[in-house]
Amino acid sequence: MKVTLNFFLSTLKSIILTYINRVYNWHGFVYLCAGLLGCFEFCIVFYYFFNIYSLFLVLKLIFAVDPFLKICYCFFFVIFLAPFVRTRVYLAISSFLSVFCFFWIIFLIAFFLSPFSVAGFQFFQKSNIEFFNYFIKLDFIFAVDGISIYFVLLTVFIMPICFFLEYRNKAYENQKFFIVSLNFIQVSLIVAFTTLDLLIFFMAFESILIPMSLMIGVFGTNKRRTKASYLFFMYSFLSALFSFFLILYIYSIAGSFDILTLLDFSFNSSQQIFAWFLLFITFSAKIPMFPFHMWLPEAHVEAPTVGSMILASLLLKLGGYGFIRFSLPLFPYGTFFFLPLVKTLALLSVVYASFAAIYQLDLKKIIAYSSIAHMNIAVLGIFSLHLSGLQGAIFTMISHGLISAALFLMIGIIYDRFSTRSIVYLGGLSFILPEFSSFFFFFMICNIAFPGTSAFIGEFLTLVGIFSNNFFIFFFTIIGSFLCVVYSIRTFSFVCFGNLSARNYYCYESVTDLTREESYCLRLFLFLVFFLGVKPRLFLVFSYFPLKIVLLNYI
Amino acid sequence: MDSLLTSYSYVPWLTISIVMPAIGAFLIPIIFSRKSPREHPRDLIEGDDGYALEQLRWYSLFFTSISFCSTVMGYITQYDPTVSGLQLIEKWEWIPILHLNWSLGADGLSMPLILLTSFVTNLAVLASWTVLYKPRLFFFLMLVMNAGQIAVFAAQNMILFFLTWELELVPVYLLLAIWGGKKRQYAATKFILYTAISSIFILIVALTMASQNGNIPSYEYTDLAGALLDKKSQIICYAALLIAFGVKLPIVPLHTWLPDAHGEATAPVHMLLAGILLKMGGYALLRFNAQLLPDAHAEFAPLLVLLGAINIVYAALTSFAEKSLKRKIAYSSISHMGFVLIGLGSLSDLSTSGAMLQMISHGLIGASLFFLVGAIYDRTDTLLLADMGGIGQRMKRLFALWTICCLASLALPGMSGFVAEVMVLAGFTTSEVYTLSFRVVIAIVAALGVIITPVYLLAIIRQLFFGKDANQNNSLSLSPENVSVDAEPREIYIISCLIIPVIIIGLYPRIMTDSYKSSIEALVSRDIAAASKTIRYPAARLISQVPLQQAPNLRDFS
């Protein structure tokens, strides 16, 4: 009887779904039906005979079939829900979805992602959008491999914390708008990191600009926020415009936006040089590299705490991810052609940003310049074209995502309490905020790539890669690390040691140490950073084969 | 697990001695305390969350004692002093992608220093009975330091060495910055900048040496020793390592962090700084420069000797000019480290083993002297010698202890310092490698240093204890409630623990030298072979020219 029931159910399901799929070609409805039927099936199976395997099958059907499109649907649903619920309820819904996404991705990685898949792309899914297909052939292609999964993971880890931090605040004007922006940023980031279609990638890449620049311009701290927002938007948008032209150009040559098609297409050398350079402008403004870096300190200084966290830990990673995903595999000749340029610029950025960080007085500017330095070390790792260098670059980016997010959170905590970020006015915080000071110390230590933290693993692997092809570059990167020690220790001792300044005496009675939420967030970051530093293998294992494939062009 | 049990059928004493203090450190937060530590921030400003002070003290003493006992057990049960190779080998894979293994071991170079470290740290915890301000954090850091220091000496993987070398910086930084004297911020920042920046050279050299090693890089010392670097890269590596370890030792142009750091540290931290941290530099010079890079060592040996002579005389002379008691003693330890440098550069086994003995004996004597400085500071609340004087009548026992320690430090015959210095100088002057004139000049300079040392040490004794009581005419020193406080039993116990080995070694040095003799002999014979093999002209004429001319011509490397 049981067998019959199961057979009957699955047959029914497949008939219905196939029918709907054929007739309407409407995937969302199909997934909804699949989910509902799955739940139904689950209930029946659970009622008649408990079988862990069928439970697993149901979970797989719901969560592991085309997961990223489902995530997008969920987010769009929540975004369109905004006008109909109250702010607090909306915050609860959004943060629930964000946390849910985190567990969703963890579930995928734990059970379905294979580190040994040589083909690379997993959860591959291709669904065409009819509206666009009348004009150009545009597919929603989603897939992850061992490179992008780290960035997806970082996104779904950082964003719930951003939502969580919103609970600290009392309700303020336009809070719902802020939450919608966060949702929008998260879904755009997930799309950008999982899509294999160039045009979709750039749509997601640029769609982040709107919520982000509004976040800076509307919720920023000072009067200069308008200018910062303007700078941020202009730098990112204008540089991305080059890539937009490039995409059209590629489409006119190769007739597709699909990376998998483009990988088989052979561009000639002049096309490669042209294309690579345009992509480089886009990504180098995002990383940011030396001539295009001015927007970053401005934007950081003016952005709200959550905005800074997202900016440093997630948005900058789009540039590095773009290099690994698009520039390296698609245009190997272009890479070789511009290798000296990109290495010079990255090296210049490392040294320049490190020196600049030493002379800053604003805490956020210090961390912003240190972000520039770290991201450019990652770029050097990427363009060392060495397996360790690439792995190290990815690891550096991930650990920098965690550490800089934590540091910006801590700076936000300082700003909430003292209304200043200048290290001139701060001092002696270890007396009044002992818990804060110890966390600040740990994250500063992480920032200087101290052994035992994730930053050390990343930087060490990167340095192995850099060392293997050029000692000169290696030497100057090391100088960047020297300077990192200098400004980190300087910042820490200015802020936490020394005497309490008069200004702090003023707030001294009213200031409290970390609240429980802040403390938990920081502990989470700290645990992760040290865990990755001690057991990096769990996280490096996925990137081995995909990076080998990327490097096949360069043997 | 099976293979693990079969291949390591004995007890991993070294791992126990490293891991136990670390575990102890991370369990400190759960020690029961009566009050919540964060009732009001003002409690913390007034210092002292001494809610579980007594428990904390005995707790940390317990864990450091476990560490000490396990190193002693390792020495007794598994260490054979007649064997020159590596013993007590413990090796587990940790992070394969970095080729980082948890591989520990001890040979003649490291075993005495491991014992010294656990011994001195144990006494330093006993010495920190006087610490009242934030004891929880203080003892946490002391335990972490204990683990890190033993790991530095026991590590057999260069990345693990780098990791522990860096790891021990953070506790020292915090111990200086939180419990230090008035200029503590400056001192702590200077310390961490000097040492953290110089230690990056270790990483560079590790990468360079491992990349020469073939397809699969390995950072194990045994594999690095097998990697045959060409002479140019050896020399580059040697110079980089000399900077890295020269900061720690310290070698004179790189020494300026030390008087500041020592001048600001509290007594227990001071004991660790002088007793152990300086030894890390000497140990690392022996381990890496002399053992792994023999060809470059042959080139650089005269430079080491010269730097050693400069260290001895310069630091001894500077010690005169200093007004603060702590800084005087700090410079005296720089001066003593000069003998280690001469012993390293002399390329003779008598002298090198003298250098080793000097490290051990200075570890004991330096720790005891710095502890006594702390004891004096507790009683007089000043470090300026000008404000002190005539306390000998009130503190008779302290006077006796001071005198013994100063005599030990100025190398009185019968103390270990004397044996060590004589071994270094005798070995150097009989070394066949150098010309007679060079040997004579260096010996005279070093002897000059030996003469200056008693002068300033005895001057300290005179100013401190003899003469008029400063309290009569100067209200600065000797606050009234402390007037009659002489050395308490705890202090006498600590000093006697440190001084009795000094006397035993001084009377019968073989008790120490035998434990590392074979390792040193193997090391030196390899270095001498390298020196005679690589140098084109006869080894006896090596230093007829100015030693710096032996340094590599930089144009060759481009």
Side-chain angles (χ1 to χ4, degrees), chain A residues 119-138:
Chain A
F121 294 109
Q122 298 172 48
F123 305 114
F124 187 84
Q125 167 212 349
K126 188 169 181 174
S127 51
N128 38 9
I129 305 163
E130 287 185 9
F131 174 72
F132 282 110
N133 280 357
Y134 290 121
F135 309 106
I136 46 178
K137 194 172 174 305
L138 180 65

Side-chain angles (χ1 to χ4, degrees), chain A residues 94-393:
Chain A
S94 312
S95 46
F96 172 76
L97 178 59
S98 195
V99 173
F100 188 73
C101 268
F102 174 70
F103 286 111
W104 194 335
I105 301 288
I106 291 287
F107 174 73
L108 287 184
I109 293 174
F111 293 108
F112 299 108
L113 197 72
S114 159
F116 306 112
S117 162
V118 181
F121 294 109
Q122 298 172 48
F123 305 114
F124 187 84
Q125 167 212 349
K126 188 169 181 174
S127 51
N128 38 9
I129 305 163
E130 287 185 9
F131 174 72
F132 282 110
N133 280 357
Y134 290 121
F135 309 106
I136 46 178
K137 194 172 174 305
L138 180 65
D139 298 328
F140 260 130
I141 311 174
F142 288 106
V144 288
D145 64 348
I147 299 168
S148 50
I149 193 67
Y150 296 109
F151 296 96
V152 176
L153 204 52
L154 185 68
T155 310
V156 296
F157 175 75
I158 297 284
M159 292 307 292
I161 291 175
C162 297
F163 281 112
F164 187 59
L165 288 172
E166 274 300 292
Y167 283 99
R168 290 184 309 167
N169 304 328
K170 287 181 191 132
Y172 51 90
E173 210 180 342
N174 296 332
Q175 192 185 13
K176 198 186 272 181
F177 175 67
F178 193 83
I179 301 162
V180 172
S181 310
L182 287 180
N183 273 323
F184 200 77
I185 288 171
Q186 179 164 10
V187 68
S188 307
L189 279 167
I190 291 176
V191 170
F193 286 133
T194 53
T195 187
L196 290 184
D197 189 287
L198 264 176
L199 193 58
I200 302 284
F201 175 79
F202 275 96
M203 280 161 69
F205 188 90
E206 299 215 32
S207 65
I208 298 171
L209 297 186
I210 300 160
M212 198 66 219
S213 57
L214 286 176
M215 207 185 252
I216 297 169
V218 177
F219 302 100
T221 46
N222 289 326
K223 284 268 167 62
R224 260 171 85 86
R225 61 176 185 256
T226 325
K227 194 197 166 200
S229 163
Y230 175 75
L231 262 180
F232 168 72
F233 191 86
M234 277 306 167
Y235 266 96
S236 310
F237 183 74
L238 289 181
S239 64
L241 219 52
F242 287 100
S243 286
F244 183 66
F245 294 133
L246 170 74
I247 288 167
L248 296 182
Y249 177 64
I250 287 178
Y251 188 75
S252 68
I253 302 168
S256 171
F257 295 118
D258 181 0
I259 285 192
L260 297 175
T261 320
L262 293 178
L263 277 173
D264 296 334
F265 189 84
S266 57
F267 298 94
N268 66 30
S269 55
S270 58
Q271 284 164 346
Q272 286 204 19
I273 290 171
F274 178 65
W276 197 94
F277 189 70
L278 291 186
L279 272 184
F280 172 71
I281 291 174
T282 309
F283 295 140
S284 66
K286 206 73 185 177
I287 283 233
M289 279 162 83
F290 167 60
F292 307 120
H293 69 282
M294 259 334 287
W295 63 271
L296 185 81
E298 289 284 333
H300 269 309
V301 168
E302 300 307 325
T305 305
V306 170
S308 278
M309 285 168 68
I310 294 171
L311 198 59
S313 67
L314 301 173
L315 259 61
L316 305 190
K317 307 301 173 287
L318 277 171
Y321 173 74
F323 276 135
I324 301 177
R325 170 65 74 226
F326 301 108
S327 299
L328 286 193
L330 289 181
F331 312 115
Y333 181 82
T335 309
F336 270 125
F337 190 83
F338 284 109
L339 214 49
L341 172 77
V342 63
K343 278 185 177 174
T344 313
L345 284 181
L347 198 57
L348 213 62
S349 314
V350 171
V351 177
Y352 164 76
S354 306
F355 272 114
I358 292 179
Y359 294 101
Q360 297 304 320
L361 296 178
D362 191 312
L363 277 173
K364 272 193 171 178
K365 276 201 173 175
I366 294 172
I367 306 302
Y369 277 111
S370 117
S371 298
I372 298 178
H374 283 110
M375 287 305 291
N376 279 291
I377 288 178
V379 171
L380 283 171
I382 291 170
F383 287 98
S384 68
L385 301 178
H386 185 269
L387 184 65
S388 299
L390 273 164
Q391 277 191 322

